[in-house]
Amino acid sequence: MTLRYHAHDRTGHRRSAVLIVAGSIYVDPAGRDAYLASCAEVVRQARSAPGCVDFAISADLVEPGRINVYERWDTLEQLLDFRGSGPAEEQAAAILGAEVHRYRISGVEGP
């Protein structure tokens, strides 16, 4: 038997679709902790932004220069409103590579 779950916002209201942004960025392993520290305020701002369901930037447990990115948004417009001009120059300069993609999810299935 397959259980089906629908995407819900923080208040429990059902959504018809959700956007997920997920992937990895790569920085110099020696500078990863400083890069992550510089992202703390961005995470706080994103989590309080309209349409943000979840937002996380975290160190990978196996690759020392890898940072995992995970975001969920209600709409593309809200995501783009938050993004503005993108990362600060300092952060952008520290990124050696990236593989991050945006997905539109229409439903969520449980175990």
Side-chain angles (χ1 to χ4, degrees):
M1 175 167 97
T2 301
L3 300 176
R4 295 193 185 270
Y5 297 93
H6 300 281
H8 291 80
D9 65 17
R10 293 181 215 189
T11 63
H13 293 98
R14 187 173 166 180
R15 288 191 310 271
S16 59
V18 67
L19 286 174
I20 294 178
V21 177
S24 304
I25 59 174
Y26 298 88
V27 298
D28 182 338
R32 183 174 74 176
D33 289 344
Y35 183 90
L36 288 169
S38 75
C39 294
E41 185 56 30
V42 171
V43 173
R44 281 190 280 278
Q45 290 174 4
R47 289 181 180 174
S48 65
C52 181
V53 178
D54 195 13
F55 195 100
I57 301 173
S58 59
D60 188 80
L61 295 176
V62 179
E63 294 180 52
R66 179 177 164 165
I67 295 171
N68 298 312
V69 176
Y70 177 80
E71 305 174 32
R72 283 188 307 172
W73 293 88
D74 284 330
T75 69
L76 178 59
E77 293 76 22
Q78 290 166 318
L79 166 63
L80 295 176
D81 284 347
F82 174 74
R83 281 278 184 267
S85 60
E89 285 183 44
E90 206 172 273
Q91 288 176 328
I95 297 173
L96 303 176
E99 187 175 332
V100 179
H101 302 282
R102 186 172 61 218
Y103 306 89
R104 181 173 302 279
I105 307 299
S106 62
V108 179
E109 294 184 6

